Structure formats: structure tokens, C-alpha cells
């Protein structure tokens, strides 16, 4: 495939199709991995998604979390109740506004999640060793742009 140049439109289309197919395969494999991890932790898929958002963006308000997860606030209440009962998150009063609630991940329980993903993280470390710094920068940029394209597409679907 490396012999395909920008001057070969059919070859380029095949490569674009291969990239999209690989992203679909990756999405599927990550979904399977997340289901396995969620099953071990007795968490539903939406619970895992919300926990990931809280860990990455927290402390975060329930409203901001619902918006980021694309979930209805009533659905969010059940998810947060499950995560709190299982010890994954804490609901805390905001210092600036005592009426406001912020969600924070509990580090000890987050470590349990990371432990279950440790094999995949090791696989990714090994995979990344085969790429130069410049290639990794290109891959990181591409994946960030893919995520942004997904956010835009999701936003457009949500508007309709």
C-alpha cells in the first residue's frame, strides 16, 4: 500500500476505505474490551462511559456530565447512584456554591479499572515502540481529528 501516491485516485480511495474499515474494527474491539471490563466490575456500558468522563474531566457537575455523555438527566441519576454505591465516584458540594454538586472519581476504585485495562495499555505501548516520534505525532493528530469529526457528527444528529 505504501506505493500508492496521491496521483492514483483509486488507490487513494482504497486506502481511505481501509482506514475507515480499520476504525470500525477498532471500535468493535474496544467495545468488546469495555464490555469485558464492565462485566468484571459489574458496570453497564453507560456506567463505564460516565466513569471515564468523570475520571477525564472531573470534578464535573451532573448536568455537564449528562451533556457530555449525551444522556437524559433522569438516566444520569440512576447511573450516578450505581457508580456511587459501587464506590467509583463521590458526590461533593462545590466550594463556590454549596447548592451545586460535583462528581469526583475515587482514585482507589479508578485503579481497579486501570488494572483491568493494563494488558491493553501494555499492547499499545509495544505497538507504539514500532513508530517514530514523527509518526506518533501524525497518528495522534489523526485520531484527535477523528474524535472531533465524531463530536461534530454526533452534534448534528442530536440537532435533528
Amino acid at each position: 500500500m505504501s506505493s500508492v501516491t496521491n496521483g492514483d485516485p483509486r488507490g487513494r480511495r482504497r486506502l481511505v476505505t481501509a482506514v475507515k474499515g480499520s476504525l470500525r474494527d477498532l471500535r468493535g474491539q474496544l467495545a468488546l474490551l469495555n464490555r469485558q471490563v464492565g462485566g468484571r466490575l459489574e458496570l453497564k456500558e453507560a456506567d463505564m462511559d460516565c466513569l471515564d468522563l468523570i475520571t477525564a474531566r472531573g470534578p464535573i457537575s451532573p448536568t455537564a456530565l449528562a451533556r457530555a455523555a449525551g444522556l437524559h438527566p433522569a438516566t444520569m441519576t440512576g447511573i450516578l447512584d450505581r457508580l456511587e454505591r459501587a464506590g467509583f465516584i463521590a458526590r461533593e458540594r462545590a466550594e463556590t456554591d454549596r447548592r451545586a454538586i460535583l462528581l469526583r472519581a475515587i482514585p482507589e476504585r479508578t485503579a481497579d479499572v486501570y488494572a483491568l485495562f493494563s494488558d491493553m495499555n501494555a499492547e499499545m505501548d509495544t505497538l507504539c515502540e514500532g513508530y517514530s516520534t514523527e509518526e506518533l505525532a501524525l497518528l495522534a493528530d489523526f485520531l484527535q481529528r477523528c474524535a472531533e469529526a465524531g463530536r461534530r457528527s454526533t452534534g448534528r444528529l442530536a440537532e435533528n
Side-chain angles (χ1 to χ4, degrees):
M1 284 197 201
S2 60
S3 64
V4 176
T5 66
N6 287 336
D8 178 6
R10 279 190 278 167
R12 182 175 174 81
R13 277 195 306 274
R14 280 193 296 273
L15 284 173
V16 169
T17 299
V19 167
K20 290 176 182 177
S22 294
L23 287 171
R24 260 191 316 278
D25 290 346
L26 175 60
R27 190 219 57 82
Q29 287 304 307
L30 291 176
L32 291 172
L33 177 61
N34 284 338
R35 271 189 230 120
Q36 287 290 320
V37 170
R40 297 270 177 102
L41 298 170
E42 298 180 1
L43 294 176
K44 297 178 180 185
E45 184 177 348
D47 300 351
M48 291 284 295
D49 292 341
C50 289
L51 180 58
D52 186 49
L53 286 166
I54 295 166
T55 302
R57 300 181 186 185
I60 187 171
S61 73
T63 302
L65 177 62
R67 203 172 312 122
L71 296 170
H72 190 276
T75 303
M76 186 58 58
T77 300
I79 291 169
L80 296 178
D81 289 346
R82 283 191 299 276
L83 289 173
E84 188 174 41
R85 269 194 311 274
F88 286 102
I89 66 162
R91 288 175 167 127
E92 300 174 340
R93 298 256 178 229
E95 290 181 21
T96 55
D97 179 357
R98 299 296 294 159
R99 295 169 295 170
I101 299 292
L102 293 176
L103 308 167
R104 179 181 59 80
I106 305 296
E108 296 81 15
R109 290 296 278 155
T110 303
D112 295 340
V113 177
Y114 289 150
L116 292 170
F117 282 110
S118 66
D119 185 68
M120 180 61 172
N121 283 326
E123 289 281 347
M124 293 304 300
D125 289 342
T126 300
L127 181 66
C128 287
E129 287 173 8
Y131 292 93
S132 70
T133 302
E134 293 79 17
E135 290 169 327
L136 288 172
L138 177 67
L139 289 168
D141 178 66
F142 175 76
L143 293 171
Q144 288 166 355
R145 288 176 182 219
C146 286
E148 185 54 40
R151 280 188 282 278
R152 287 191 305 270
S153 184
T154 300
R156 287 189 293 270
L157 279 174
E159 292 170 1
N160 296 326

